[in-house]
Amino acid sequence: MTARAAVDRGPTVLRIALGGQLRKLREERKISRETAAEALRATGSKITRIELGRNGLKVRDLSDLLTLYGVHDPDEREDFLALARQANEPGWWHRYSDLLPSWFETYVGLEQAAATIRLYETHYIPGLFQTADYARYIFGLDSRVDVSRLVDMRMQRQRVLTRTPTPPTVWAVIDENVLRRQPPDRHVARGQLQHLLELTERTNIVIQVLPESAGPTPAEGGSFSMLRFPEEELPDIVYLEQLTSALYLDKAADLQRYRKLMDVLCAGYALPPGRTPIILRELLDRVG
């Protein structure tokens, strides 16, 4: 990915793309991480973090690495340097960094750049699908948080669904119990169910319901997300959120396992997408 092709990409994905290109250059030149680290007066672990996109990269340090890797063409160097400058720019979510744990901030950055998002949710309505009232209720369960700003952040995050010119394709499997376990306020519950019904009409969104009658499934480990990006150099990422941390999986074996798991859930356990509006209307009738 060159800087010219990355104008609309967020800083998180730009750091990953830049790191991947630098790793490729280093390996092609058969240069060890330790040797690269010496050029930056740093450690091998710093080079690892840079190549994984977890650390930003100063322009001066990037210039030293490019020289070490034999990149001398002025135009090629400028592409790398411009990409690094863009990757160091804060995303819109940076203003919420005092509220968000760093591991979730990373996910938001990746989500904003994804071309395809696949979700399996067993606890709450997925964040991308929540109404402001539903989000306010969920965040309000924790008296320690700034509910108003968190709701604002969540609504801002959802703008990715209408991103132009190419919004992501979102395919979600939601446990039926999540739909039934609504907030006690009927207004909030009805608004959330109606919003989901409206989302099923969008061409870039598919929602399937995993019914109670499906019984135990291979996904007993709980909720997860899979992100795919338009850039060929970026691997798919599986995101697993825990109580106080998160896991990001990008190894081929892990990705294959979760792709297969999602395919099995969609084709073998969840109801067809056409059933979702019917279920939502039935639940709306019950809410009254």
Side-chain angles (χ1 to χ4, degrees), residues 104 107 111 117-136 138-139 150-151 153-155 157-161 170-183 191-193 195-197 199-200 205-210 223-227 239 241 262 276 280:
F104 186 68
Y107 177 76
E111 182 182 72
I117 303 170
R118 302 180 77 184
L119 306 167
Y120 173 56
E121 183 55 64
T122 63
H123 295 96
Y124 303 108
I125 300 298
L128 287 177
F129 298 164
Q130 292 179 9
T131 64
D133 285 340
Y134 182 95
R136 190 171 294 110
I138 296 301
F139 288 132
L150 284 171
V151 172
M153 186 278 296
R154 180 141 295 178
M155 296 302 102
R157 178 182 158 201
Q158 291 178 10
R159 293 183 183 181
V160 72
L161 298 177
V170 183
W171 195 306
V173 175
I174 304 176
D175 193 291
E176 183 179 6
N177 290 319
V178 172
L179 301 179
R180 295 184 180 279
R181 193 172 56 248
Q182 288 288 332
Q192 180 61 72
L193 292 170
H195 182 58
L196 288 173
L197 186 58
L199 289 177
T200 64
I205 295 176
V206 177
I207 301 175
Q208 289 183 262
V209 177
L210 182 69
S223 307
F224 63 89
S225 303
M226 295 187 66
L227 306 178
Y239 173 77
E241 188 171 316
M262 196 68 186
T276 303
L280 291 172

Side-chain angles (χ1 to χ4, degrees), residues 94-112:
H94 181 71
R95 64 178 178 270
Y96 301 100
S97 60
D98 59 315
L99 301 176
L100 303 177
S102 59
W103 44 266
F104 186 68
E105 220 180 322
T106 298
Y107 177 76
V108 174
L110 293 171
E111 182 182 72
Q112 296 295 299

Side-chain angles (χ1 to χ4, degrees), residues 118 171 173 208 218 224 226 228 255-270:
R118 302 180 77 184
W171 195 306
V173 175
Q208 289 183 262
F224 63 89
M226 295 187 66
R228 173 164 289 180
L255 295 175
Q256 181 61 25
R257 179 183 177 188
Y258 276 92
R259 287 191 200 104
K260 183 177 180 179
L261 176 57
M262 196 68 186
D263 290 343
V264 167
L265 287 173
C266 291
Y269 290 89

Side-chain angles (χ1 to χ4, degrees), residues 18-263:
L18 177 60
Q21 291 184 28
L22 291 173
R23 181 176 65 249
K24 183 179 179 182
L25 282 174
R26 180 181 60 76
E27 291 175 347
E28 286 176 348
R29 273 61 169 184
K30 301 187 185 307
I31 296 172
S32 69
R33 285 191 177 88
E34 289 68 28
T35 299
E38 289 176 6
L40 304 187
R41 299 157 297 281
T43 63
S45 61
K46 179 175 180 178
I47 297 298
T48 298
R49 292 194 299 272
I50 289 172
E51 293 181 349
L52 291 174
R54 294 173 183 168
N55 272 24
L57 188 59
K58 296 178 181 178
V59 170
R60 183 190 66 184
D61 289 343
L62 175 57
S63 182
D64 289 343
L65 286 179
L66 293 175
T67 298
L68 177 65
Y69 297 162
V71 178
H72 301 297
D73 179 84
D75 290 339
E76 188 176 2
R77 288 177 69 92
E78 180 51 34
D79 267 345
F80 274 102
L81 294 171
L83 189 57
R85 286 189 287 268
Q86 289 185 16
N88 288 332
E89 290 292 322
W92 63 260
W93 53 92
H94 181 71
R95 64 178 178 270
Y96 301 100
S97 60
D98 59 315
L99 301 176
L100 303 177
S102 59
W103 44 266
F104 186 68
E105 220 180 322
T106 298
Y107 177 76
V108 174
L110 293 171
E111 182 182 72
Q112 296 295 299
T116 303
I117 303 170
R118 302 180 77 184
L119 306 167
Y120 173 56
E121 183 55 64
T122 63
H123 295 96
Y124 303 108
I125 300 298
L128 287 177
F129 298 164
Q130 292 179 9
T131 64
D133 285 340
Y134 182 95
R136 190 171 294 110
Y137 172 81
I138 296 301
F139 288 132
L141 297 175
D142 186 347
S143 60
R144 300 168 298 176
V145 302
D146 186 336
V147 173
S148 178
R149 288 183 64 211
L150 284 171
V151 172
D152 182 61
M153 186 278 296
R154 180 141 295 178
M155 296 302 102
Q156 179 85 355
R157 178 182 158 201
Q158 291 178 10
R159 293 183 183 181
V160 72
L161 298 177
T162 54
R163 181 181 65 202
T164 57
T166 53
T169 297
V170 183
W171 195 306
V173 175
I174 304 176
D175 193 291
E176 183 179 6
N177 290 319
V178 172
L179 301 179
R180 295 184 180 279
R181 193 172 56 248
Q182 288 288 332
D185 187 316
R186 287 189 175 185
H187 173 76
V188 175
R190 185 170 185 80
Q192 180 61 72
L193 292 170
Q194 183 64 43
H195 182 58
L196 288 173
L197 186 58
E198 293 167 1
L199 289 177
T200 64
E201 299 175 359
R202 296 193 190 181
T203 57
N204 63 315
I205 295 176
V206 177
I207 301 175
Q208 289 183 262
V209 177
L210 182 69
E212 291 178 307
S213 59
T217 75
E220 293 307 307
S223 307
F224 63 89
S225 303
M226 295 187 66
L227 306 178
R228 173 164 289 180
F229 308 94
E231 294 80 15
E232 292 184 0
E233 66 266 37
L234 295 182
D236 291 358
I237 289 178
V238 172
Y239 173 77
L240 303 170
E241 188 171 316
Q242 301 171 328
L243 186 61
T244 58
S245 63
L247 295 177
Y248 291 86
L249 309 179
D250 62 1
K251 293 183 179 179
D254 291 329
L255 295 175
Q256 181 61 25
R257 179 183 177 188
Y258 276 92
R259 287 191 200 104
K260 183 177 180 179
L261 176 57
M262 196 68 186
D263 290 343

